[in-house]
Amino acid sequence: MKILLVGAGGVGDAIAKISARRWFYELIVVSDYDLTRAERTVASIRARHGEEIANRFVAVQIDAGDSEKVAALAREHGITHVMNAVEPKFVPSIFAGALAAGADYLDMAMSLSEPHPTHPHSLTGVKLGDDQFAQAGDWETAGRLALVGMGVEPGLSDVFARYAADHLFSEIDELGTRDGANLVVRDENGDEIFAPSFSIWTTIEECLNPPVIFEKDKGWFTTEPFSEPEMFDFPGGIGAVECVNVEHEEVLLMPRWLDAKRVTFKYGLGNEFIGVLKTLHLLGLDSVSPVRVRSAAGPVEVAPRDVVAAALPDPATIGPRMTGTTCAGVWVTGAGIDGKPREVYLYHLADNEWTMAEYDAQCVVWQTALNPVIALELLATQVWTGIGVLGPEAFDAKPFLDLMKRAVADGGYGQDWGLQDRLA
């Protein structure tokens, strides 16, 4: 397996660092529009693991927005798998470039939706992932696999949902992805600061779009952003966090393969974060349409959202100033295998102190990066196989969770995942 890793930001850097401890691939080409970021990732692997392991990595420059350049780079290095680790606005070009190069493809965020009316109207327009699923026939004809939504959410959450459907439930009422944390970022004086732990570009996109809900008798429909707040009790010392509806890929993925009466995604954003997002929207700073502004070099055109992203701390750099734990999981209700009512929460915790010490990566990007690496290993060993455009739910969940939990000494990743039976 030869992997083209597109993007050496927080998640891409963590993917490379996690992969450095595994041996299922021959080469990882770490690429970024900013070559120095790719070089920094490879240099950090060399410093931590030595020359032999670093020799399996090479840093190159890439224009992820040009499908022909993506394809050319993949062909140049004999790439078998293209791993997309950049913002979802680049999905179309990287997706097309991988197919043109005859490589398999993975991403952690699917192609973007287009504006659609809010509840109670039926969902219209283009949903998350629609553009990719529309090309499934091309991937099937080519005999190639596009594994979409293979991060943590979506990704591990979908693996948990498949596991619940196969092993824990005879009938599912709701698959509810629930994400919460108690993370705090402080400045040099020890004061709390506003510093999103994930790409603000992506966060704005998913949080300000109308959230999508799936109900078996209605199909997909939208509701208002930040609607239906609920208190959800998270494990790992996090406790109760208010979660709200957010547009997310799980709701568009799970119903394609799993039988559930309802599918939702709720995120513990917090009132401050919601307030900031609403203000950005009010001021038009969430727009991706360029506006003309003055600069020292004369008038230039920039997208307001890109300015917001540039003004905030890079999520890849805030790890040393962050404390706390993040939790990703799926809350499942319905009838157990015995037919009796059952309610479980399947989850994974990532503690920032541990991820920084072990991988020099903050916990949110590290938790996202862990899962595509496990998926790549399952594909390399042909435990997972398939062609076309598939989500994580299309694959047997047990080998994934077994490999994740197996001790490092036994060839696994040593990552515990949990299951709370909440009616017990």
Side-chain angles (χ1 to χ4, degrees):
M1 177 180 280
K2 293 184 178 181
I3 302 164
L4 172 58
L5 174 59
V6 183
V11 177
D13 179 69
I15 287 174
K17 290 173 177 175
I18 295 168
S19 299
R21 300 188 181 189
R22 311 300 295 178
W23 291 93
F24 61 86
Y25 58 91
E26 179 182 348
L27 172 71
I28 295 183
V29 178
V30 183
S31 65
D32 198 280
Y33 189 76
D34 181 353
L35 178 59
T36 60
R37 294 210 303 180
E39 291 174 333
R40 184 170 64 240
T41 293
V42 176
S44 69
I45 291 171
R46 179 174 289 106
R48 183 176 283 250
H49 299 287
E51 200 68 30
E52 180 183 0
I53 290 177
N55 285 340
R56 295 189 289 152
F57 294 81
V58 59
V60 302
Q61 196 275 340
I62 193 172
D63 181 355
D66 189 324
S67 61
E68 293 183 0
K69 291 181 179 178
V70 172
L73 186 59
R75 293 190 192 102
E76 178 186 347
H77 292 275
I79 295 301
T80 61
H81 293 73
V82 174
M83 180 69 243
N84 179 356
V86 291
E87 292 163 353
K89 65 181 178 180
F90 294 107
V91 164
S93 52
I94 302 172
F95 193 68
L99 182 60
D104 287 354
Y105 167 93
L106 293 86
D107 64 29
M108 295 164 284
M110 300 194 301
S111 57
L112 296 173
S113 62
E114 293 183 3
H116 38 251
T118 56
H119 185 77
H121 300 287
S122 297
L123 186 149
T124 61
V126 178
K127 303 187 298 299
L128 289 168
D130 274 359
D131 288 345
Q132 290 170 287
F133 283 113
Q135 300 175 58
D138 296 333
W139 287 81
E140 291 166 4
T141 299
R144 301 255 58 94
L145 169 66
L147 174 50
V148 298
M150 193 59 251
V152 62
E153 291 173 342
L156 179 58
S157 52
D158 305 74
V159 172
F160 282 148
R162 171 65 187 266
Y163 182 83
D166 286 351
H167 300 282
L168 304 178
F169 287 81
S170 59
E171 184 178 34
I172 293 176
D173 290 333
E174 180 170 350
L175 293 168
T177 304
R178 297 294 185 267
D179 181 304
N182 58 3
L183 300 173
V184 174
V185 181
R186 302 182 186 277
D187 63 16
E188 60 275 7
N189 298 318
D191 297 322
E192 289 188 31
I193 60 172
F194 180 78
S197 56
F198 205 72
S199 164
I200 189 62
W201 200 102
T202 304
T203 302
I204 289 173
E205 181 70 24
E206 62 190 23
C207 290
L208 291 179
N209 280 348
V212 180
I213 293 173
F214 175 84
E215 292 183 358
K216 195 171 183 179
D217 60 348
K218 293 174 61 175
W220 286 293
F221 62 93
T222 57
T223 185
E224 297 288 344
F226 317 119
S227 59
E228 299 180 5
E230 68 177 41
M231 297 302 295
F232 192 84
D233 190 25
F234 289 92
I238 297 172
V241 176
E242 184 179 77
C243 297
V244 296
N245 281 320
V246 169
E247 181 192 46
H248 228 253
E249 287 89 344
E250 289 93 329
V251 181
L252 287 310
L253 280 170
M254 291 178 184
R256 296 176 186 269
W257 286 277
L258 304 177
D259 186 13
K261 296 177 184 177
R262 180 176 167 90
V263 182
T264 59
F265 178 94
K266 292 189 178 183
Y267 191 12
L269 291 169
N271 290 331
E272 180 190 23
F273 204 160
I274 291 174
V276 169
L277 291 170
K278 287 181 176 180
T279 300
L280 291 175
H281 180 63
L282 181 67
L283 298 176
L285 295 175
D286 59 329
S287 174
V288 295
S289 299
V291 295
R292 192 174 180 84
V293 299
R294 292 176 294 176
S295 78
V300 294
E301 291 195 349
V302 295
R305 191 183 300 185
D306 289 337
V307 175
V308 173
L312 288 171
D314 182 347
T317 67
I318 63 175
R321 294 180 287 162
M322 181 188 290
T323 58
T325 300
T326 186
C327 180
V330 175
W331 172 57
V332 190
T333 62
I337 299 300
D338 58 4
K340 296 179 181 179
R342 193 171 191 190
E343 176 183 333
V344 303
Y345 183 57
L346 299 96
Y347 64 91
H348 180 262
L349 296 165
D351 174 74
N352 191 70
E353 182 179 0
W354 184 87
T355 62
M356 286 299 299
E358 288 291 318
Y359 290 92
D360 191 28
Q362 56 102 328
C363 60
V364 176
V365 299
W366 178 88
Q367 189 183 49
T368 303
L370 173 68
N371 303 286
V373 179
I374 297 174
L376 282 165
E377 182 159 345
L378 292 174
L379 293 171
T381 55
Q382 297 189 318
V383 174
W384 277 8
T385 60
I387 62 171
V389 180
L390 303 176
E393 304 88 347
F395 300 88
D396 185 1
K398 194 171 187 304
F400 186 103
L401 296 176
D402 286 347
L403 181 58
M404 169 185 275
K405 197 162 189 174
R406 191 184 309 150
V408 174
D410 296 328
Y413 285 74
Q415 278 301 300
D416 283 343
W417 57 274
L419 189 159
Q420 289 184 340
D421 209 324
R422 296 199 168 190
L423 291 184

